[in-house]
Amino acid sequence: DGGDAAWWRLLGDALAKERRFERAAAAFEEAARLDPRAAAPLTNLGNCRFMLSRFDAAADAYRRALALEPRNLDARFNLAFTYFHQRRIKDALLETDAILRADPRNAKARQLRLQLAP
C-alpha cells in the first residue's frame, strides 16, 4: 500500500517548492522506497537531481520511472531534456521521437526536436 509514501511525496513537493532540492530528493527517495511501484516519486527525484546538475542520477531516476510507467510522457521528456543537457543528442532524439509518436502535438517535445535537428 505504500506505507507513508504519500507523506514523503508531499514533503518532497514542499521542499522542492522551497528550492531545497537536496532534501526534497531524499524525501522522494524514501517515497520511492516505500512505494516501489509508483513512478511519480522517481520522476520528482529526477527533477531534483536535474536541478542539482546531477544529470546521470537524474537520467537514472527517469529511466526507473519509465520502467514502471512506459507511457509517462513527462518522465520521457525530462529524460530527453537531461540527455540534451548532457549533449547525448542521439539519445535525446530517440526519446523525443518516442514522445512525438505517442503525442504528435506535444509542444515541448516538438520544440526540443527542432533544437536537436541538424
Side-chain angles (χ1 to χ4, degrees):
D1 71 353
D4 293 316
W7 185 87
W8 286 101
R9 282 194 302 269
L10 287 173
L11 177 61
D13 288 340
L15 290 165
K17 285 179 185 172
E18 295 175 359
R19 303 189 61 79
R20 297 168 66 188
F21 298 115
E22 195 73 51
R23 295 196 57 202
F28 291 128
E29 285 175 347
E30 185 63 11
R33 186 187 71 76
L34 291 169
D35 190 0
R37 294 170 293 170
L42 293 168
T43 300
N44 291 335
L45 173 60
N47 295 343
C48 290
R49 289 175 172 171
F50 183 92
M51 294 303 293
L52 293 164
S53 298
R54 296 184 185 150
F55 300 123
D56 288 338
D60 178 62
Y62 297 136
R63 284 190 297 267
R64 289 172 52 205
L66 287 167
L68 295 170
E69 198 175 283
R71 295 182 185 183
N72 183 332
L73 297 185
D74 289 330
R76 191 163 304 281
F77 176 82
N78 293 346
L79 178 59
F81 197 64
T82 300
Y83 287 152
F84 174 74
H85 275 270
Q86 293 177 302
R87 293 181 170 79
R88 293 175 58 179
I89 302 306
K90 287 183 182 179
D91 292 326
L93 278 168
L94 288 172
E95 297 301 333
T96 304
D97 288 347
I99 295 166
L100 292 172
R101 280 192 301 278
D103 179 9
R105 296 179 183 215
N106 188 302
K108 291 189 313 184
R110 290 173 69 182
Q111 183 177 5
L112 181 58
R113 184 64 173 87
L114 289 173
Q115 292 180 11
L116 294 168

